[in-house]
Amino acid sequence: IKSQLKMSLSSLNDFEFGKILGKGAFGMVCLVKRKFDGNIYAMKRIKIVQLSDKDKENSLNEIRILASLSHRNIIGYKDAFYDKNSKTLNIVMEFADDGDISTKIKQKLRTKSHFEENTIWGYLIQILEGLNYLHEKKIIHRDLKSANIFLMKNNTVKIGDLNVSKINKQGMAHTQTGTPYYASPEIWLDQPYDYKCDIWSLGCILYELCQLKPPFRGTSLKNLCINIQKGMYDPIPDFYSDNLKKVIGM
């Protein structure tokens, strides 16, 4: 791991730790403040010893990809270092100070309210800007979902969580990945796919912003797969425009 990271002089001692922003099977994301300048970041802490070789490669892949990117609609990479005592790989990233779209959707469900259409168009345009940048660099995100679209209080939208992204050198990719509700039909069928799979996932996110639930659901993974292949979904509410309905259909 260390040999594949660029030399970093950072250590855990350089940061004050705040609340936990998220937890997973192999680590967590914490809010941190860098001591020498007071800057606030999100730090992903990955327990390397518990990872399979494939997951280790995914973690290093995220660092390589993040470090190569610079765009206002992509979560920014700041630093990465290995901590020997805790045996963790630590990735320091830009902190999204207004949460993510998934959290906003849950808030709307709790308050029985809906997103204004202008807000949805604003999200769409900025996500497309970020995706266009990734695709121009031949990067397929492969796990686009509402929980991976982050928000800033200045209304900037940022794509994050690039650990399963793939640099598409051959033109078509063939690794099954992604989150079931947002995965495109060709991924479900284990067929070759390209950048269009990200556009499918974006359509699912747009629909979820309107209906507050994913377009395709099922009682089992097999049933979900069948429903995604059919491409049938309930219409979005009538108070949204025909143009928005058309874009989601596309």
Side-chain angles (χ1 to χ4, degrees):
I1 293 288
K2 284 191 288 185
S3 66
Q4 294 193 52
L5 288 177
K6 286 184 178 179
M7 289 298 293
S8 172
L9 299 177
S10 298
S11 74
L12 292 179
N13 291 330
D14 296 331
F15 300 91
E16 291 178 10
F17 282 79
K19 65 180 179 179
I20 295 173
L21 301 172
K23 265 188 173 181
F26 302 113
M28 64 180 70
V29 179
C30 303
L31 186 67
V32 297
K33 181 167 79 170
R34 194 161 58 186
K35 292 176 182 176
F36 83 85
D37 58 10
N39 285 344
I40 303 295
Y41 300 110
M43 181 187 287
K44 182 182 283 191
R45 307 199 63 207
I46 303 162
K47 299 171 186 172
I48 288 295
V49 290
Q50 297 180 9
L51 296 186
S52 66
D53 288 344
K54 182 179 178 183
D55 287 331
K56 286 177 184 174
E57 183 56 36
N58 280 343
S59 297
L60 289 169
N61 187 47
E62 179 174 23
I63 294 170
R64 283 192 287 265
I65 289 175
L66 275 173
S68 72
L69 303 177
S70 179
H71 191 275
R72 72 185 295 269
N73 299 119
I74 306 288
I75 285 289
Y77 166 87
K78 301 300 177 182
D79 199 1
F81 58 92
Y82 179 75
D83 180 65
K84 188 167 65 174
N85 292 331
S86 60
K87 294 183 172 61
T88 55
L89 174 62
N90 301 278
I91 307 173
V92 184
M93 299 171 291
E94 186 177 15
F95 170 58
D97 57 9
D98 201 27
D100 58 61
I101 284 182
S102 177
T103 302
K104 297 290 183 189
I105 289 170
K106 289 170 186 170
Q107 289 170 356
K108 295 294 184 187
L109 282 168
R110 281 198 303 270
T111 58
K112 297 181 179 178
S113 56
H114 63 270
F115 288 94
E116 295 294 328
E117 181 160 336
N118 282 345
T119 300
I120 297 174
W121 284 112
Y123 288 168
L124 168 62
I125 290 165
Q126 293 193 66
I127 296 168
L128 281 172
E129 293 276 6
L131 273 182
N132 184 57
Y133 175 79
L134 289 177
H135 292 174
E136 282 182 343
K137 288 187 168 289
K138 301 192 180 329
I139 296 169
I140 309 174
H141 189 287
R142 303 200 301 171
D143 194 21
L144 210 61
K145 56 187 177 184
S146 55
N148 287 346
I149 307 297
F150 297 94
L151 305 170
M152 308 295 285
K153 286 179 179 174
N154 67 2
N155 296 320
T156 306
V157 180
K158 293 179 181 279
I159 298 171
D161 239 355
L162 296 162
N163 66 319
V164 294
S165 300
K166 187 178 185 72
I167 296 176
N168 190 30
K169 295 174 182 173
Q170 288 79 33
M172 298 290 275
H174 204 287
T175 310
Q176 194 158 23
T177 186
T179 302
Y181 288 121
Y182 307 85
S184 64
E186 59 270 33
I187 287 178
W188 273 99
L189 295 177
D190 199 21
Q191 295 175 346
Y193 57 87
D194 60 14
Y195 307 102
K196 293 177 184 178
C197 72
D198 285 343
I199 302 301
W200 174 279
S201 300
L202 174 56
C204 293
I205 293 168
L206 279 182
Y207 181 93
E208 191 178 12
L209 284 163
C210 298
Q211 276 285 47
L212 307 182
K213 59 185 177 183
F216 308 106
R217 295 172 297 282
T219 54
S220 65
L221 282 177
K222 182 179 179 182
N223 183 236
L224 176 60
C225 177
I226 291 168
N227 291 336
I228 287 173
Q229 300 307 315
K230 288 178 180 175
M232 302 291 291
Y233 53 87
D234 295 332
I236 63 172
D238 288 335
F239 50 75
Y240 290 119
S241 70
D242 289 342
N243 278 339
L244 186 54
K245 293 172 188 174
K246 184 179 178 182
V247 167
I248 290 171
M250 289 167 65

